[in-house]
Amino acid sequence: MGQTVQELRRAYGFSQGQLAGRARILVKTLRKVESGNTARPRTIERIARALDSTPMQLYERAAAAGT
């Protein structure tokens, strides 16, 4: 999941700070997610929305990439 979030963030041209702000989460939380740590469902939902996606789309993309 972390790699998927990082790839999408970069594709949108967001810094970690920008995405964290859009998702209304702390930068350190986003760093943990991108590092592969488990995140709460609410955190994934916020990140997905900030990336114009859904949590299911993030999970499917991560599964397809094997991450």
Side-chain angles (χ1 to χ4, degrees), residues 11-67:
Y12 274 83
F14 296 146
S15 67
Q16 285 181 329
Q18 289 170 319
L19 179 56
R22 286 177 55 99
R24 296 183 182 178
I25 61 172
L26 297 174
V27 173
K28 73 177 189 174
T29 301
L30 179 59
R31 285 188 185 130
K32 288 179 182 179
V33 171
E34 288 189 358
S35 295
N37 292 336
T38 304
R40 293 179 178 178
R42 180 73 178 145
T43 300
I44 297 299
E45 183 179 324
R46 288 179 177 198
I47 292 170
R49 268 199 212 130
L51 293 170
D52 299 323
S53 188
T54 65
M56 184 58 70
Q57 289 170 325
L58 289 183
Y59 285 115
E60 288 172 352
R61 185 173 176 144
T67 61

